[in-house]
Amino acid sequence: MSMSYAYVAVVAALLSGLLPLLWPRNGMAVKMTAFPLLGISGLAGVISGVTALAGGKGGRDILPVGLPWLNCHLRLDALSGFFLAVVSLVALVAAIYGPAYVREYEEGPQPLLPLTLFTGLFVAGMDIVLLAADAFSFMIGWEMMSVTSYFLVAYQHQHEVNRQAAFIYLLMAQVGGLFILLGYGVLAGFGQGFDFTHMARAQLSDGWSTVAFLLAFIGFGMKAGVVPLHVWLPQAHPVAPSHVSALMSGVMLKVAVYGFIRFTYHLLGGIHWQWGALALFVGSSSAVLGVLYALMQHDLKRLLAYHSVENIGIIYIGLGLSMIFAGTGHPALAALGLVAALYHCLNHALFKSLLFFGAGVILQQSHEHDLEKMGGLIRRLPVTATCFLIGCISISALPPFNGFVSEWLTFQTALQGPVLTNNILAALIPVAAAVLALTGALAAACFVKVYGVCFLGLPRSENCASARETGQGPLLGQILLALLCLFFGVLPSWTVGRLEHVARLFFPGGMPETTAHGWLWLTPVAPHVASYGAPMVLLGVGLAWLLSWLWVHPRRRKTPVRIGSAWDCGFGPLNARMQYTATAFTMPIRRIFRPVWPIEESFQESATGSPGGRYRLKIGDWAWLKFYEPIGRLLLAGARRLAMIQGGNIRTYLAYSFFTLLVLLLVVSL
Amino acid sequence: MKGWVLAIIQTGLLVFGAPFLTGWVKWIKCKLQSRQGPPPWQPYRDLVRLFGKEVVVAESASPIFRIAPYVVFSITALACSVVPMVAIGLPTAAIADVIVLVGFFALGRFFLALAGMDVGTAFGGMGSSREMTIASLAEPAMLMGVFTLAMTVHSTNLATMIGYLIAQPFQLYPSFVFAAMGLVLVAVAETGRIPVDNPATHLELTMVHEAMILEYSGRHLALMEWGAMLKLMIYSVLLVNLFCPWGVANDFTPLPLLLGLAVITGKLLLLGTALAVAETGLAKMRLFRVPQYLGLAFILCLLGMLSHVILEVN
C-alpha cells in the first residue's frame, strides 16, 4: 500500500521533470505540467511516508532493472518513511509556492525548462535515495540528487558568482560521494553483497568498522554541511532560486542525515561510543560556529544557509548523544537521543523552508539581497511578515513553537549524562548542552537582527518602500508551513510517539515513558523528571493575554491611542539612516567573539577633508583560509609540476609510452 | 481542584506581589543612601497612573509595537504560574520545567528586542542589540547552573527539585555552592540590575532595558514595567526556594500554607535587602566588561557541574 504510493511519488516527480520537454517553448504549459505533478509527487510521498511511519505496512520490493546480477532492491520502513514524508511535504509546498514565484524567471534570459526539469529529477533522486535498499540504487539516487542540484545552483549562470558556487558545490558533492562509495565498499567487501540485508550481516573487526564509519561520516557530513565541510553551503544556497534553496537546505541536507543514520545504525550496527563522541564534538562545533558566522552575514539567504550549518549541528548533537548512549549500553536513552535528532530534522525542514520561501518573496518584491537596504517591510508585506515571524520564533527555539520541542528533547537527553560510568564523558556531555544553549541564545539574537532590520523600522531603500505582496500561491505555501510549525510545536506527543517507531527499529525497547500523562504532556524520561505541556502553554499564554487585555480594555475606550511622531530628541525628524543597522546590531557580539572570524576592517577618511569617510568591513570564514585555500594551493602547485611533462612534443610522448611499456613488462615478468 | 485554585492564588500572589519587591529594594536603597525615598508601595501607584494615561504610538510603529507589551506581560505571568512559591505539588508545575521557564524568558525577550527595533530610532536598536548580547551569554550560564541542580536531584521539574531538597537532610554540596554563586550573577544580569544595567537611569551610555522601552507610554509602558518587575520576582523566588527550600509547604492544609507564605515573604524581603546593599556598594560596569562578568558566572556553574560529576556521583 504505502509502497505503491511511494512509486507514484517517484514517477510523478520524474514526469514533472520530463513531461514539459514535450512543449519546451510554451512557458505556461511547462509550468502547468511541472508544478501540479510535483505536487502530486509530494502528496503521494507524504501519504506513503506517514502510513509507513505510523506502523502501517512498509514494504520491500525487487525491481527487474539494474545490473544482471544485482536487481534494484527497494525498501520502505519507518526510517525511510519518516524522511520520505519530510522530503515530500516540502516538495508539496514548493509546488504550491513555485508557479507564481517562477514568473520572474519567465522574462529572464534563461528558459524555464531547465529549472522544472532538474527540480523534478532532483526530487525523484531524493526519493530514490530514501527507498533504495542496495548500494547501487542508493548511489544512483545520490548522484542524481547531487548532479541535478548542481544544475539548479547554476541555473542563472550569467552571474559569475553562481558558476563559482555551482562548481564548488559539484566538487564537494563528488568528493563526498566518493567517500560514501568507499564506505559501502568496505561493507560490501565483508558482507559479500551489495544489498543492505547482506551488508547489515557483515562481520567487521573494530578497526574496519571504524574505517567504514569514518568514511561515511565524512561523506555524509560533506553533504549535510558540518564544520569544516560546510563551505559549499553558504555559496550554493543563496544563488539558487528560492524554492530550490528551500528544497536543498530544508530537505537535501536531511537526506544526508538519513544516509548517515541508515549507514551507522542499520548497516554498521555495533556502535562505539567513541563515534558518538566524535559526532557530538563535530555537531557542537557546527552548531556554535554556524550561528556565529550567520550573525555576521548581511545577505539574507546566505545568513539562512549558515543557519543550516547550525541546525545540522544540533541534529548531530542529538545523534552523537544517542550513539554515546548506544555504545555504553543504554538503549532507551539512545532511542531518546535519536528521536530528538529526528524531530529536529522535521522541524528544521519546516522552518527553514518557511524562511527561504519568505526570503524568496522579499527578494522578488524588493530586489534587495542586502539586509542593510531593507527595513519597514512589515507594512508592505503583512502576510509574509507574519509567517516569517513565526519562522524566526521557531528557529530560535522559543516555546510554544516546534524548534523548542526538539531542543528541549536534546537537553533532556544530555541531562541523562550522569548514568555513564565514564566520568570524562559524563562531564563533557553537559558542556555540549551548554554549547547548545549558547547556540539557541545566539540564534535568537540573530533572528531579532534579521526581523528587526528587514521588517521593522523605516525602509532604507526605494525598492523596499514600494514592495508589494505576491500572488496567492507563495502566500498559501508560507501560511501552510507556519501552521505546521505551530502544530508540531503544540502537539508534540503524537509525533514523538510515531518517531519512536523509527527508534524501535534499532533499539527494540523504545523510549522510556513518552506520554505517561496523555497527549497533553510530553514526558520523555519519566513524569517526575521532566514534563512539558505544550498545549497548556498555548492555553496559558492565551489566558494571560485575555486577562491583561480585559484589564486594559476599559481604559482603551476612555483614552484611545494617539499617533504621534517618534521621539527625536528635538533635533528634527528621524530618517532611515539613523536606525540601527545589522552591522551595528551585531557589533558587541563581533567584539566579544573576536577570534572566531577573520576580519578585515578599514576606515578611509574622505579626501576633501570634509567630515565622514568610508568604512569597510569584510568578514571571512576560517575554514576557507586555513583549510581549503592551502589544499587548493597545493593542488595547483602539484598540477603545475605535472604540467611540465606535457611539452606538446610528440617524441617526448612516444618516449613516455615506451618507458611505461617497459616498466609494465618488468612488473608482469616479476 | 483544590490544587488548581491554589495554583491560581499563588500566581496572583506572584503577579501582584512583584511591584512590592521592586519598591522594597528601591526603598532600602534610598535609606542606605540617606535619602527620603518613595514608600515600598510606590510602584503600585506608578502602575495605576500609567494605566490611566494616554498612549502615544509613533507613526512609524508596526503592529509588533502594540502586541509586544501583551506578549511580554502574558508570557511572564505564565512563567509565574509554574514557579513554586508557597507550596509544591501544584498541578501547574507539570506544564513547564525549568528549561521551558528559560524558554519563556527568551520568548519575552525576543519580543521586547523586536519592539525596541520597531520604531526605527537609534536608542531602541542599541538597547535591543545590548540586550540580546547579554542574554546570549547569560543563557548558557543559567542553563549550566540549572543542569547542576537537575543532575543532583535527577529532575528538571522545579517542584520535584524543591521537594527533593526539602526531604533531604541538610547537606552542603560543593556543586550547589558554585551553582548558587553562578546563578546569582546570572539573575542580576537577566533582571537588569546594577552592575550590569541600571534601571534608574536614562543615560545612553548605560541603559539596556530602558533604551528598548523608551518609545512606550501609558498602559503599554505599564505592562512592560510590570513584566520587568515580575521577572525580578521570579528570579528572586527561584533563588531563595532552590537554595534555601525550607518552609515551602508540602501539603495543602492551611497551617503549612500560611507558614509557607510567611517564610517566603521573609526570605524575599531579606533577599531584596541584600540586593539593595549590593547595588549601593557596586558601580555600573562598562558594557564590554559584562562578558567577563558572565564568563565568571559560566565558569562557576561549570565548576559546580564538574564537582558534581567528579565528587558527588557514586
Side-chain angles (χ1 to χ4, degrees):
Chain A
M1 177 67 180
S2 49
M3 204 64 191
S4 42
Y5 275 110
Y7 289 142
V8 174
V10 176
V11 172
L14 283 175
L15 281 181
S16 130
L18 297 175
L19 209 57
L21 290 175
L22 296 177
W23 36 81
R25 308 228 167 268
N26 187 342
M28 197 62 193
V30 166
K31 245 182 8 186
M32 284 302 115
T33 43
F35 283 107
L37 278 168
L38 191 66
I40 292 171
S41 158
L43 197 62
V46 171
I47 295 173
S48 158
V50 169
T51 45
L53 182 64
K57 277 257 177 42
R60 34 179 86 221
D61 213 343
I62 300 179
L63 294 187
V65 291
L67 299 173
W69 41 274
L70 180 71
N71 290 324
C72 175
H73 294 248
L74 298 176
R75 158 209 193 106
L76 187 65
D77 55 10
L79 179 63
S80 33
F82 167 69
F83 280 95
L84 186 65
V86 171
V87 169
S88 303
L89 185 63
V90 178
L92 175 64
V93 183
I96 298 172
Y97 179 90
Y101 180 73
V102 297
R103 202 169 293 151
E104 185 186 335
Y105 298 107
E106 283 174 45
E107 289 123 38
Q110 279 87 20
L112 201 54
L113 192 67
L115 187 62
T116 56
L117 170 65
F118 291 117
T119 309
L121 295 182
F122 175 51
V123 172
M126 290 195 286
D127 288 350
I128 293 173
V129 169
L130 297 175
L131 293 173
D134 65 80
F136 272 115
S137 330
F138 187 97
M139 288 315 293
I140 287 168
W142 186 266
E143 288 300 328
M144 196 164 146
M145 179 178 94
S146 297
V147 174
T148 51
S149 50
Y150 159 76
F151 286 111
L152 291 171
V153 173
Y155 176 61
Q156 285 174 301
H157 52 81
Q158 71 273 29
H159 305 297
E160 208 210 317
V161 198
N162 295 30
R163 291 199 300 271
Q164 197 188 348
F167 172 70
I168 288 169
Y169 170 57
L170 187 67
L171 191 69
M172 293 193 64
Q174 291 310 311
V175 173
L178 198 66
F179 274 100
I180 297 168
L181 196 63
L182 289 173
Y184 277 128
V186 173
L187 281 185
F190 283 93
Q192 319 286 332
F194 289 97
D195 60 309
F196 285 176
T197 17
H198 278 101
M199 285 190 183
R201 264 188 256 132
Q203 296 292 324
L204 274 75
S205 65
D206 278 358
W208 275 112
S209 68
T210 303
V211 168
F213 170 78
L214 287 177
L215 287 170
F217 188 73
I218 296 171
F220 289 115
M222 216 159 215
K223 186 60 109 183
V226 295
V227 168
L229 309 173
H230 67 283
V231 292
W232 63 270
L233 219 145
Q235 309 231 358
H237 289 326
V239 299
S242 291
H243 65 293
V244 174
S245 316
L247 278 170
M248 283 180 74
S249 180
V251 179
M252 187 181 72
L253 308 183
K254 306 295 130 49
V255 176
V257 173
Y258 161 80
F260 180 64
I261 295 175
R262 174 67 78 194
F263 194 98
T264 316
Y265 283 74
H266 178 194
L267 301 181
L268 211 48
I271 295 168
H272 297 248
W273 65 262
Q274 289 91 339
W275 304 350
L278 177 69
L280 188 65
F281 175 73
V282 170
S284 310
S285 331
S286 298
V288 74
L289 288 178
V291 70
L292 281 171
Y293 278 110
L295 265 163
M296 294 303 135
Q297 300 302 322
H298 300 151
D299 181 319
L300 184 54
K301 284 175 77 177
R302 214 174 142 81
L303 180 146
L304 292 177
Y306 268 115
H307 272 287
S308 292
V309 178
E310 174 219 335
N311 280 288
I312 287 292
I314 295 173
I315 293 169
Y316 269 73
I317 291 179
L319 286 178
L321 290 171
S322 163
M323 286 158 74
I324 288 177
F325 284 124
T328 48
H330 300 90
L333 295 175
L336 179 59
L338 184 61
V339 166
L342 291 175
Y343 207 129
H344 202 75
C345 283
L346 168 70
N347 291 340
H348 180 237
L350 291 175
F351 55 62
K352 189 47 70 66
S353 336
L354 173 57
L355 291 171
F356 266 118
F357 286 153
V361 173
I362 296 169
L363 251 55
Q364 198 178 33
Q365 300 304 313
S366 72
H367 306 286
E368 299 286 358
H369 281 269
D370 193 353
L371 276 179
E372 307 287 34
K373 296 200 178 115
M374 296 179 187
L377 284 173
I378 193 169
R379 264 178 300 279
R380 310 296 310 177
L381 315 169
V383 180
T384 305
T386 311
C387 295
F388 203 87
L389 180 63
I390 291 178
C392 288
I393 297 177
S394 305
I395 199 173
S396 310
L398 299 173
F401 286 89
N402 61 356
F404 180 75
V405 179
S406 45
E407 283 203 17
W408 186 76
L409 285 172
T410 314
F411 276 130
Q412 292 300 341
T413 320
L415 278 175
Q416 303 305 315
V419 301
L420 298 172
T421 41
N422 185 336
N423 266 351
I424 296 172
L425 265 188
L428 277 181
I429 286 176
V431 177
V435 168
L436 186 59
L438 177 67
T439 308
L442 287 172
C446 189
F447 279 95
V448 166
K449 172 188 103 168
V450 171
Y451 201 81
V453 172
C454 178
F455 284 100
L456 305 179
L458 304 165
R460 294 177 173 86
S461 64
E462 273 303 306
N463 282 335
C464 280
S466 59
R468 268 192 316 186
E469 198 71 276
T470 49
Q472 283 162 356
L475 295 187
L476 187 66
Q478 292 184 70
I479 292 171
L480 199 64
L481 284 173
L483 289 178
L484 285 174
C485 280
L486 186 63
F487 174 80
F488 285 108
V490 173
L491 292 172
S493 305
W494 187 86
T495 324
V496 169
R498 299 290 89 70
L499 288 179
E500 210 191 330
H501 294 178
V502 182
R504 275 181 201 280
L505 288 178
F506 314 115
F507 310 105
M511 276 165 61
E513 301 173 71
T514 328
T515 48
H517 279 304
W519 58 274
L520 270 178
W521 272 274
L522 191 63
T523 51
V525 188
H528 65 273
V529 170
S531 54
Y532 172 42
M536 304 291 286
V537 168
L538 191 68
L539 190 74
V541 176
L543 207 65
W545 189 313
L546 188 72
L547 282 176
S548 55
W549 191 77
L550 284 178
W551 171 277
V552 165
H553 188 64
R555 291 163 184 79
R556 189 203 291 271
R557 250 177 289 169
K558 222 165 24 181
T559 55
V561 171
R562 183 156 66 87
I563 306 291
S565 48
W567 184 57
D568 54 16
C569 310
F571 274 100
L574 296 170
N575 66 39
R577 283 183 57 79
M578 292 178 190
Q579 57 195 340
Y580 248 48
T581 58
T583 317
F585 188 88
T586 47
M587 190 282 260
I589 295 178
R590 191 164 65 237
R591 201 164 145 179
I592 293 166
F593 295 95
R594 177 67 190 79
V596 176
W597 306 277
I599 296 180
E600 280 174 41
E601 201 175 6
S602 65
F603 183 75
Q604 204 176 21
E605 281 189 40
S606 65
T608 53
S610 58
R614 238 186 132 67
Y615 172 71
R616 259 186 80 256
L617 178 70
K618 190 161 173 282
I619 293 164
D621 190 329
W622 281 123
W624 265 121
L625 287 179
K626 296 287 167 196
F627 191 66
Y628 291 95
E629 286 194 358
I631 293 179
R633 274 200 297 274
L634 211 67
L635 281 176
L636 269 182
R640 268 196 212 103
R641 287 278 152 77
L642 276 179
M644 291 201 319
I645 65 171
Q646 192 184 21
N649 190 332
I650 195 123
R651 282 168 297 173
T652 335
Y653 293 159
L654 280 174
Y656 291 154
S657 309
F658 177 69
F659 281 114
T660 311
L661 200 64
L662 218 61
V663 170
L664 281 178
L665 284 175
L666 198 71
V667 170
V668 170
S669 68
L670 277 177
Chain B
M1 200 59 225
K2 198 176 176 188
W4 284 101
V5 173
L6 276 177
I8 290 167
I9 294 174
Q10 183 179 280
T11 312
L13 274 176
L14 267 160
V15 171
F16 288 97
F20 188 82
L21 181 65
T22 309
W24 172 261
V25 175
K26 195 176 268 174
W27 187 69
I28 295 279
K29 229 165 108 175
C30 288
K31 292 285 157 235
L32 288 170
Q33 293 166 351
S34 314
R35 290 191 285 142
Q36 183 74 45
W41 49 88
Q42 181 65 32
Y44 293 103
R45 291 181 186 163
D46 291 344
L47 286 180
V48 169
R49 186 171 48 91
L50 283 175
F51 272 117
K53 279 201 161 193
E54 187 190 29
V55 179
V56 185
V57 171
E59 56 211 350
S60 51
S62 74
I64 297 278
F65 187 79
R66 294 197 192 185
I67 295 171
Y70 294 94
V71 177
V72 170
F73 181 76
S74 56
I75 204 82
T76 326
L78 180 66
C80 289
S81 72
V82 299
V83 175
M85 181 189 176
V86 177
I88 54 170
L90 296 176
T92 44
I95 293 177
D97 65 352
V98 67
I99 302 174
V100 185
L101 192 68
V102 175
F104 284 161
F105 288 135
L107 182 64
R109 184 187 308 121
F110 191 84
F111 272 90
L112 191 62
L114 281 186
M117 300 195 71
D118 190 43
V119 174
T121 63
F123 273 127
M126 184 187 72
S128 304
S129 164
R130 290 178 177 179
E131 173 84 5
M132 294 318 282
T133 308
I134 293 174
S136 60
L137 299 170
E139 232 178 80
M142 165 106 188
L143 279 174
M144 205 70 190
V146 166
F147 286 168
T148 309
L149 305 187
M151 285 190 171
T152 310
V153 303
H154 307 292
S155 171
T156 53
N157 191 311
L158 282 166
T160 318
M161 281 172 145
I162 295 171
Y164 177 93
L165 293 172
I166 297 178
Q168 290 297 94
F170 177 73
Q171 192 183 353
L172 194 66
Y173 296 108
S175 62
F176 268 50
V177 178
F178 284 122
M181 290 193 289
L183 283 180
V184 166
L185 296 183
V186 172
V188 167
E190 286 271 33
T191 51
R193 312 296 303 194
I194 292 174
V196 176
D197 186 8
N198 189 348
T201 64
H202 276 101
L203 286 170
E204 61 269 36
L205 287 176
T206 58
M207 61 185 175
V208 180
H209 181 255
E210 283 297 316
M212 283 186 287
I213 61 171
L214 210 54
E215 280 293 323
Y216 278 106
S217 54
R219 52 181 176 257
H220 291 159
L221 181 60
L223 286 175
M224 286 290 198
E225 294 280 15
W226 201 352
M229 293 174 194
L230 288 184
K231 213 170 158 186
L232 178 67
M233 183 73 166
I234 293 174
Y235 271 100
S236 310
V237 170
L238 274 183
L239 283 179
V240 295
N241 272 356
L242 282 176
F243 295 107
C244 335
W246 307 283
V248 181
N250 222 340
D251 55 36
F252 300 157
T253 47
L255 194 64
L257 285 178
L258 278 177
L259 185 72
L261 186 61
V263 170
I264 187 74
T265 314
K267 284 194 282 193
L268 284 178
L269 291 182
L270 269 179
L271 186 77
T273 313
L275 182 63
V277 172
E279 289 204 334
T280 309
L282 292 170
K284 163 91 178 61
M285 279 188 292
R286 286 177 64 221
L287 181 71
F288 285 102
R289 289 285 301 279
V290 174
Q292 292 175 22
Y293 167 91
L294 287 170
L296 174 68
F298 181 79
I299 293 295
L300 283 171
C301 291
L302 186 69
L303 282 177
M305 165 74 62
L306 292 180
S307 55
H308 170 72
V309 169
I310 294 166
L311 300 176
E312 292 160 22
V313 175
N314 29 27

